[in-house]
Amino acid sequence: MQKRILPFLLTPCLSLISINAIALTCSDNSTQNIVEANNYIFQILNYIDSPVKGIKQEVRTSTTQLGNDAMSTAKHSLEYDPNGLIIQSHYDLYSNKKKRIYSEHLQKNKSSWINIIEDVEDKTNSIVQFNTDEQGKIVISQQTKKAVDFVFFETDNYLYDRNNCLINKNVQWQLKEIDKSGKYTGADQKGASIYTFGYQEQQLAKVLYQFSNNMKNESDFSYQYDNDHHRLSTIEISYLSAGKDAAHYVTKFLTFNEKNDWITASKVKNNKQTNIIRELTYY
């Protein structure tokens, strides 16, 4: 049991703030900052978090080369309100044999959002509930992940500055082992972590991670712009673990439409490339 759980715990608890998260903004527009922070917190797998202007719906098709002519495919459908806030998202990941191996379904209810996650390969099912304050900011999320031999609980609290920019995320998690009948065995594990967000020129520049086991990691973000066309062209992320470069990510926006919205992109993670095609419907 210990061998199975340990990798799960060390892969973190970055569950809702992963190193795939990009382009979070902290502008002078406090209302728009809420939209950007909420979309960032949702952290749907492989979602490229770029500001949305006037987009009602979009469908993204992603293909990733796995080697030996193998390729995985993802289909991602998103719906936005007029302010660019995600109100519904459905993500499915398929293996090279066109078998669905992972899915996320985020939907908005009357007061908040809920994300239902199924990981077929890991044989886990998760539900994440997001709760907001009177301004609409997500201030707490609660996740329950169930597997054959454990149940995992995580509660995340989010803090903002006066301009509604996300500045901290505080995590408390607990894992309880269960037997074949689903009863708790009494073996529990607990932990905590703190994430601190730093901005430069109104863009996310650094995320610092501090875990209860005294491990400290960080993600550094850099951006390149096409000044002639007034648009973001490249996002680069370096993830450092214990001061060493553990992962490197580069996203390039390749083609754009007449509204200056990207329609194709390339995402490279440690030499593994994903190509993305984006279909847009506007208000």
Side-chain angles (χ1 to χ4, degrees), residues 140-236:
I140 188 170
S141 61
Q142 295 175 304
Q143 178 183 14
T144 302
K145 180 191 290 281
K146 294 183 179 180
V148 176
D149 46 9
F150 69 85
V151 180
F152 175 79
F153 305 95
E154 179 174 323
T155 299
D156 303 343
N157 289 277
Y158 304 92
L159 300 176
Y160 301 78
D161 65 13
R162 293 182 179 180
N163 203 30
N164 291 329
C165 296
L166 180 64
I167 55 174
N168 285 103
K169 173 190 174 186
N170 298 314
V171 177
Q172 297 286 333
W173 61 265
Q174 182 177 23
L175 185 144
K176 292 177 173 286
E177 294 184 23
I178 57 177
D179 59 23
K180 293 182 179 179
S181 62
K183 295 182 179 179
Y184 294 121
T185 64
D188 296 352
Q189 299 179 54
K190 296 180 180 180
S193 53
I194 300 174
Y195 305 93
T196 303
F197 303 91
Y199 301 87
Q200 187 173 357
E201 296 180 352
Q202 300 188 339
Q203 289 287 123
L204 180 64
K206 186 183 292 289
V207 180
L208 299 175
Y209 314 94
Q210 184 170 344
F211 304 99
S212 52
N213 62 359
N214 295 321
M215 183 172 67
K216 295 181 180 181
N217 298 341
E218 69 177 73
S219 290
D220 294 314
F221 300 74
S222 62
Y223 308 87
Q224 295 179 20
Y225 291 87
D226 181 345
N227 293 323
D228 292 336
H229 297 92
H230 308 289
R231 63 196 183 199
L232 182 63
S233 59
T234 304
I235 303 172
E236 193 166 352

Side-chain angles (χ1 to χ4, degrees), residues 30-192:
S30 60
T31 301
Q32 190 62 29
N33 288 340
I34 295 175
V35 172
E36 301 298 332
N38 284 1
N39 285 353
Y40 180 95
I41 289 169
F42 291 143
Q43 272 315 289
I44 298 150
L45 191 67
N46 282 344
Y47 176 64
I48 297 176
D49 186 8
S50 54
V52 176
K53 296 180 181 179
I55 297 174
K56 183 177 183 180
Q57 296 176 322
E58 65 170 292
V59 178
R60 303 180 183 191
T61 304
S62 305
T63 54
T64 302
Q65 193 68 44
L66 303 175
N68 298 324
D69 296 325
M71 185 176 295
S72 67
T73 304
K75 194 84 170 183
H76 192 177
S77 302
L78 292 141
E79 295 183 13
Y80 303 91
D81 71 7
N83 295 316
L85 179 64
I86 296 173
I87 54 176
Q88 185 165 291
S89 170
H90 200 128
Y91 176 91
D92 289 311
L93 177 64
Y94 299 89
S95 70
N96 187 50
K97 298 180 180 179
K98 298 182 179 180
K99 179 181 178 182
R100 185 174 60 83
I101 57 176
Y102 183 92
S103 68
E104 293 195 25
H105 188 191
L106 175 76
Q107 54 190 332
K108 193 178 189 302
N109 55 30
K110 290 183 179 180
S111 60
S112 59
W113 290 265
I114 187 170
N115 198 16
I116 300 172
I117 304 169
E118 180 184 10
D119 193 322
V120 179
E121 287 191 319
D122 286 348
K123 298 181 180 179
T124 60
N125 291 277
S126 305
I127 294 179
V128 187
Q129 179 74 46
F130 303 93
N131 295 314
T132 60
D133 63 9
E134 64 281 356
Q135 289 183 291
K137 300 192 303 291
I138 295 173
V139 291
I140 188 170
S141 61
Q142 295 175 304
Q143 178 183 14
T144 302
K145 180 191 290 281
K146 294 183 179 180
V148 176
D149 46 9
F150 69 85
V151 180
F152 175 79
F153 305 95
E154 179 174 323
T155 299
D156 303 343
N157 289 277
Y158 304 92
L159 300 176
Y160 301 78
D161 65 13
R162 293 182 179 180
N163 203 30
N164 291 329
C165 296
L166 180 64
I167 55 174
N168 285 103
K169 173 190 174 186
N170 298 314
V171 177
Q172 297 286 333
W173 61 265
Q174 182 177 23
L175 185 144
K176 292 177 173 286
E177 294 184 23
I178 57 177
D179 59 23
K180 293 182 179 179
S181 62
K183 295 182 179 179
Y184 294 121
T185 64
D188 296 352
Q189 299 179 54
K190 296 180 180 180

Side-chain angles (χ1 to χ4, degrees), residues 9-25:
L9 296 178
L10 295 179
T11 306
C13 294
L14 293 181
S15 56
L16 298 181
I17 297 291
S18 75
I19 54 179
N20 293 332
I22 54 180
L24 176 63
T25 59

Side-chain angles (χ1 to χ4, degrees), residues 222-266:
S222 62
Y223 308 87
Q224 295 179 20
Y225 291 87
D226 181 345
N227 293 323
D228 292 336
H229 297 92
H230 308 289
R231 63 196 183 199
L232 182 63
S233 59
T234 304
I235 303 172
E236 193 166 352
I237 309 170
S238 294
Y239 179 67
L240 304 176
S241 178
K244 297 181 180 180
D245 192 350
H248 193 72
Y249 301 75
V250 178
T251 299
K252 293 185 177 181
F253 303 104
L254 304 176
T255 60
F256 298 79
N257 63 14
E258 68 281 357
K259 293 181 179 289
N260 221 16
D261 289 320
W262 69 270
I263 54 175
T264 64
S266 171

